Amino acid sequence: MDDDFVPQDYRLQYRKSTANHFEDVYVGSETEFMVLHIDPNVDYQFRVCARGDGRQEWSPWSVPQIGRTTLVPHGIDSLLFILCPCQWCCTPGGL
């Protein structure tokens, strides 16, 4: 891990726990993102990586985390996902 690494962009992917492939749900500089249109009572796996200023390559992926909502759909079927670089990108095994 680079001691001087400062994340500038994040890439968040998710998948249903039963799916084989992750898909991009967010790429950008915000550290929070609300994932919309998810099914209630279904486990989703989320992973994130980061890219520093002036760098082309992304960091290794975080360890996938599981999220789920129990809210029934009535306009809001979402999860707020915090893209915390200290929790995911800067931990041992991260960057």
Side-chain angles (χ1 to χ4, degrees), residues 36-50:
L36 301 174
H37 310 295
I38 59 174
D39 298 325
N41 300 308
V42 173
D43 287 340
Y44 287 85
Q45 292 182 347
F46 295 86
R47 66 183 185 179
V48 68
C49 62

Side-chain angles (χ1 to χ4, degrees), residues 19-89:
N20 291 324
H21 300 286
F22 282 91
E23 61 183 87
D24 285 341
V25 68
Y26 176 75
V27 176
S29 61
E30 297 297 321
T31 57
E32 296 181 4
F33 181 75
M34 186 173 294
V35 180
L36 301 174
H37 310 295
I38 59 174
D39 298 325
N41 300 308
V42 173
D43 287 340
Y44 287 85
Q45 292 182 347
F46 295 86
R47 66 183 185 179
V48 68
C49 62
R51 180 170 53 195
D53 190 29
R55 297 186 185 200
Q56 297 295 320
E57 70 280 353
W58 291 97
S59 69
W61 288 107
S62 65
V63 173
Q65 302 293 307
I66 296 176
R68 141 192 305 238
T69 184
T70 56
L71 296 175
V72 292
H74 55 272
I76 301 177
D77 49 346
S78 63
L79 281 177
L80 176 63
F81 211 79
I82 308 296
L83 307 178
C84 175
C86 296
Q87 179 183 359
W88 292 34
C89 302

Side-chain angles (χ1 to χ4, degrees), residues 1-33:
M1 177 171 94
D2 294 341
D3 290 333
D4 61 344
F5 182 81
V6 177
Q8 295 296 315
D9 293 305
Y10 300 93
R11 182 176 175 192
L12 176 66
Q13 292 188 332
Y14 81 132
R15 69 178 179 190
K16 287 185 179 181
S17 291
T18 57
N20 291 324
H21 300 286
F22 282 91
E23 61 183 87
D24 285 341
V25 68
Y26 176 75
V27 176
S29 61
E30 297 297 321
T31 57
E32 296 181 4
F33 181 75

